[in-house]
Every structure is written in structure tokens, then in C-alpha cells.
């Protein structure tokens, strides 16, 4: 056998059995029809849309008909998978559904409600709220944080004093 033929055989060896298994965790990361995706870049950043069709290995057709939620309102268009991130929420729909039937399916299965209950969505809302506050609200928030920390330190110092640890209480609470 020649050297080049042996190297070809080396590249076409069958993979071990553990490579053929699908991962048991994070199965919701797979892109499928009906999967809710979060748009991470572009005009519709931090909005969610439903995968209507898979165009190829890098692009999907998404749609999110406008409703009363702030998360929706994405027109039907082709998005690259670099610009979207799959969420654990999915809607049971058929491929290529029109906007009216998609809206009906999303409302019946409470897809947006399930998304809003996730910590991921709450974290995005919290981050947006923090970035969009004015100077006075930022000052009030900081003042409330310092007041809360003061009262917590005072309560801890009182508990330590009652427990007979005055030195440690003095370190915790310096009035």
C-alpha cells in the first residue's frame, strides 16, 4: 500500500461510540421549527422571535407578530444563527406558518409568558431598566442601597453584641 492510501484510511476510521450519542443536557440549544430565539444583534436586539423555517445550516426564517408584549414585534425575515440565541421555550407549530396562525399558536401555548418567567428574560429587563434610568433615579437607588446596607450592619452588630462578641460587633458596625 502506498503512503497516501494509508493516510486516507486513517482519516476515514469510524468514530468511537461515545461520539454518536446526542447530549443529554442542553438539548434545548438545538434550532428547530417553533423554537423561540432571542435576537442578540441588530435592529431588533433583545426581542424574541419564533423559528418558522430553517434555510440552511447558518440561517433561519424567524417571525414574531406584534402583540401587547414588549418582547415581540419582529417582522418575518431571514436571520443568521450568529445573531440569534436559542431559548429553552418552544412552540409546537408546523413549518412555514403564516402570521395569523402563528399568533394564535403563541397565545394558546403561552410561549411569551413562559419566556417572561425565565430568569434570563428577567435579567435582560433588569439590565435595561438600570441603563435607562436618569440621574435622580440613580441617586435614589444608590441612597436606598446604602440605607439598606446600614440597617443590615446595625442588626448584625446588635445580634453579635447579644451573643457576647462586642469586639466583632465593633468591627462590623462603626457608627
Amino acid at each position: 500500500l502506498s503512503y497516501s492510501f494509508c493516510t486516507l484510511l486513517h482519516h476515514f476510521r469510524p468514530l468511537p461510540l461515545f461520539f454518536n450519542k446526542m447530549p443529554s443536557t442542553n438539548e434545548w440549544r438545538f434550532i428547530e421549527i417553533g423554537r423561540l430565539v432571542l435576537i442578540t444583534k441588530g435592529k431588533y436586539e433583545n426581542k424574541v422571535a419564533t423559528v418558522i423555517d430553517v434555510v440552511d445550516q447558518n440561517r433561519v426564517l424567524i417571525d414574531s407578530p406584534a402583540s401587547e408584549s414588549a418582547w415581540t414585534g419582529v417582522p418575518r425575515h431571514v436571520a443568521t444563527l450568529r445573531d440569534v440565541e436559542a431559548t429553552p421555550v418552544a412552540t409546537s407549530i408546523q413549518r412555514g406558518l403564516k402570521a395569523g396562525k402563528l399568533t394564535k399558536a403563541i397565545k394558546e401555548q403561552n410561549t411569551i409568558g413562559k419566556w417572561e418567567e425565565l430568569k434570563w428574560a428577567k435579567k435582560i429587563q433588569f439590565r435595561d431598566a438600570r441603563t435607562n434610568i436618569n440621574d435622580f433615579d440613580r441617586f435614589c437607588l444608590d441612597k436606598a442601597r446604602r440605607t439598606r446596607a446600614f440597617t443590615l450592619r446595625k442588626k448584625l452588630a446588635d445580634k453579635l453584641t447579644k451573643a457576647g462578641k462586642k469586639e466583632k460587633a465593633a468591627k462590623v458596625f462603626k457608627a
Side-chain angles (χ1 to χ4, degrees):
L1 294 173
S2 68
Y3 174 73
S4 60
F5 183 72
C6 289
T7 55
L8 281 175
L9 283 177
H10 173 74
H11 290 294
F12 292 109
R13 280 186 289 173
L15 291 173
L17 288 176
F18 62 87
F19 283 115
N20 295 333
K21 291 182 183 176
M22 294 300 286
S24 59
T25 59
N26 289 335
E27 289 182 355
W28 57 267
R29 292 275 184 188
F30 295 123
I31 296 294
E32 61 182 342
I33 294 170
R35 175 72 57 196
L36 198 70
V37 293
L38 175 70
I39 301 171
T40 57
K41 297 178 187 172
K43 185 178 179 181
Y44 303 105
E45 186 175 353
N46 290 337
K47 290 199 178 263
V48 292
T50 307
V51 175
I52 304 299
D53 198 1
V54 177
V55 178
D56 59 25
Q57 67 182 7
N58 295 320
R59 299 179 300 160
V60 289
L61 179 67
I62 59 173
D63 191 6
S64 179
S67 66
E68 60 275 353
S69 175
W71 294 103
T72 58
V74 179
R76 183 176 292 225
H77 69 282
V78 175
T80 61
L81 291 178
R82 278 180 266 148
D83 298 341
V84 298
E85 197 166 335
T87 68
V89 181
T91 309
S92 178
I93 59 169
Q94 291 180 346
R95 180 174 165 250
L97 217 57
K98 303 249 181 193
K101 289 187 178 182
L102 177 64
T103 305
K104 185 179 176 184
I106 287 173
K107 283 184 181 177
E108 283 177 357
Q109 297 176 28
N110 193 24
T111 307
I112 302 298
K114 290 176 187 174
W115 162 250
E116 288 173 344
E117 291 172 5
L118 291 177
K119 286 184 180 180
W120 190 0
K122 291 176 183 176
K123 181 179 172 184
I124 292 170
Q125 285 178 330
F126 180 75
R127 189 183 319 138
D128 287 345
R130 286 293 292 255
T131 57
N132 294 329
I133 60 174
N134 58 21
D135 286 341
F136 181 71
D137 291 337
R138 193 172 291 115
F139 170 76
C140 291
L141 188 66
D142 187 46
K143 183 75 173 166
R145 181 192 58 80
R146 285 188 277 141
T147 305
R148 179 176 172 258
F150 178 83
T151 55
L152 287 174
R153 276 198 327 272
K154 191 171 182 179
K155 285 181 181 179
L156 178 62
D158 290 342
K159 285 184 179 181
L160 288 173
T161 306
K162 287 179 184 176
K165 299 180 179 180
K166 292 184 181 181
E167 295 85 19
K168 195 167 186 177
K171 287 181 182 178
V172 169
F173 184 71
K174 296 175 186 174

